[in-house]
C-alpha cells in the first residue's frame, strides 16, 4: 500500500534518482553526519519502503553518493581528453576547471576530503570509496605528466594534488579568490617544472 501511495504522488523522475540527487545536494552542502535518512526520504518524496528498497542503510547511500561524485570527475577528465591531445594542455584545462570551481557560490570544499574526514576507519566502505577515487585521479594526473616526458611523474602528480587540495581547503575556509590565484600559480609552476625536467632528461 505504501508503494502505491508513493507511485501516486511522485513525479516522473525515478525514485532512486531523486534519492541520490537529494543526498548529493544535502551531503555536500550540509555534511554527511548532519543529514539524516528521514530528511532525505522527506525531501525526495518517497516512502521508507522505497528508500530501503534501493539502499539498505545510510552508509550504502553515502557510498553511492561518493561513487556518483567519482563518476562525475571521470566524465570531466574524459571531456578534457576529448578537447585536447597535449598532456600539458589537458593539465592546464583541469587546473582552470578546478580554479573556477572554488569560486562558485555552491562550493563547500572537496566532497571526497569532506567525506573522508567524517569516517576515521580506513577500512570503512566510505573511506574505501574515497580511496578508489583518489587513486584513480592521482594516477590519471601522473599519466599526464608521464606523457609530458617528466622523469618523475609521480612526484609531479603529488605536487599537483598538494596544490589542488590546499586550494580546495583554503577556498572553503577562507578567501576563494586568493585560493584560486594560488592554485593557478602552483599548478603553472608544476607544469613548467615538468616541461623543464622533460627537456633536460631528453
Amino acid at each position: 500500500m505504501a508503494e502505491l501511495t508513493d507511485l501516486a504522488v511522485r513525479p516522473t523522475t525515478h525514485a532512486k534518482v531523486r534519492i541520490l540527487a537529494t543526498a548529493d545536494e544535502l551531503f555536500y552542502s550540509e555534511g554527511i553526519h548532519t543529514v539524516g535518512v528521514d530528511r532525505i526520504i522527506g525531501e525526495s518524496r518517497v516512502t521508507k519502503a522505497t528508500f530501503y528498497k534501493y539502499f539498505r542503510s545510510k552508509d550504502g547511500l553515502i557510498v553511492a553518493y561518493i561513487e556518483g561524485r567519482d563518476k562525475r570527475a571521470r566524465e570531466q577528465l574524459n571531456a578534457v581528453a576529448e578537447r585536447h591531445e597535449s598532456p600539458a594542455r589537458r593539465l592546464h584545462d583541469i587546473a582552470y576547471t578546478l580554479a573556477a570551481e572554488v569560486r562558485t557560490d555552491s562550493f563547500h570544499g572537496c566532497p571526497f576530503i569532506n567525506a573522508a574526514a567524517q569516517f576515521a576507519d580506513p577500512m570503512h566502505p566510505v573511506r574505501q570509496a574515497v580511496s578508489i577515487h583518489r587513486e584513480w585521479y592521482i594516477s590519471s594526473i601522473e599519466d599526464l605528466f608521464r606523457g609530458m616526458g617528466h622523469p618523475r611523474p609521480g612526484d609531479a602528480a603529488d605536487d599537483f594534488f598538494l596544490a589542488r587540495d590546499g586550494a580546495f581547503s583554503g577556498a572553503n575556509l577562507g578567501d576563494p579568490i586568493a585560493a584560486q590565484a594560488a592554485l593557478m600559480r602552483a599548478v603553472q609552476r608544476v607544469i613548467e617544472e615538468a616541461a623543464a625536467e622533460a627537456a633536460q632528461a631528453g
Side-chain angles (χ1 to χ4, degrees):
M1 188 66 179
E3 288 294 327
L4 291 175
T5 301
D6 184 43
L7 285 168
V9 300
R10 73 182 184 183
T12 56
T13 306
H14 192 280
K16 185 177 181 181
V17 174
R18 296 205 312 279
I19 293 168
L20 283 169
T22 301
D24 183 88
E25 179 181 353
L26 294 177
F27 284 163
Y28 182 64
S29 63
E30 300 185 20
I32 291 170
H33 285 330
T34 62
V35 178
V37 168
D38 287 344
R39 184 175 174 197
I40 292 171
I41 289 172
E43 297 201 16
S44 302
R45 289 174 290 170
V46 299
T47 64
K48 281 191 176 183
T50 299
F51 177 89
Y52 287 108
K53 173 184 176 182
Y54 296 112
F55 304 100
R56 290 188 172 185
S57 65
K58 182 180 177 181
D59 281 356
L61 177 60
I62 298 167
V63 170
Y65 155 67
I66 294 299
E67 290 174 345
R69 289 278 175 164
D70 173 69
K71 180 182 178 182
R72 208 177 303 174
R74 292 172 190 259
E75 290 171 349
Q76 288 177 344
L77 258 62
N78 287 337
V80 169
E82 290 177 358
R83 288 194 294 268
H84 308 291
E85 291 187 8
S86 162
R89 292 290 301 275
R90 291 181 186 180
L91 285 165
H92 277 292
D93 196 330
I94 293 167
Y96 283 121
T97 300
L98 295 173
E101 186 176 349
V102 304
R103 290 284 303 277
T104 62
D105 293 337
S106 60
F107 181 75
H108 298 285
C110 172
F112 303 97
I113 294 175
N114 293 348
Q118 298 182 66
F119 293 88
D121 181 4
M123 299 307 295
H124 191 283
V126 173
R127 283 289 297 270
Q128 291 182 332
V130 170
S131 294
I132 289 170
H133 166 77
R134 295 278 295 187
E135 289 169 6
W136 161 77
Y137 207 160
I138 292 172
S139 177
S140 298
I141 298 300
E142 182 177 341
D143 285 344
L144 291 177
F145 281 114
R146 185 176 292 108
M148 289 182 64
H150 197 294
R152 297 183 305 281
D155 290 349
D158 288 343
D159 291 344
F160 184 99
F161 259 84
L162 182 63
R164 180 261 187 198
D165 290 348
F168 271 36
S169 297
N172 191 33
L173 298 173
D175 185 348
I177 297 176
Q180 179 191 46
L183 172 63
M184 293 309 300
R185 288 196 303 270
V187 169
Q188 181 63 33
R189 184 164 58 248
V190 173
I191 293 173
E192 289 175 354
E193 289 173 353
E197 289 271 7
Q200 186 174 5

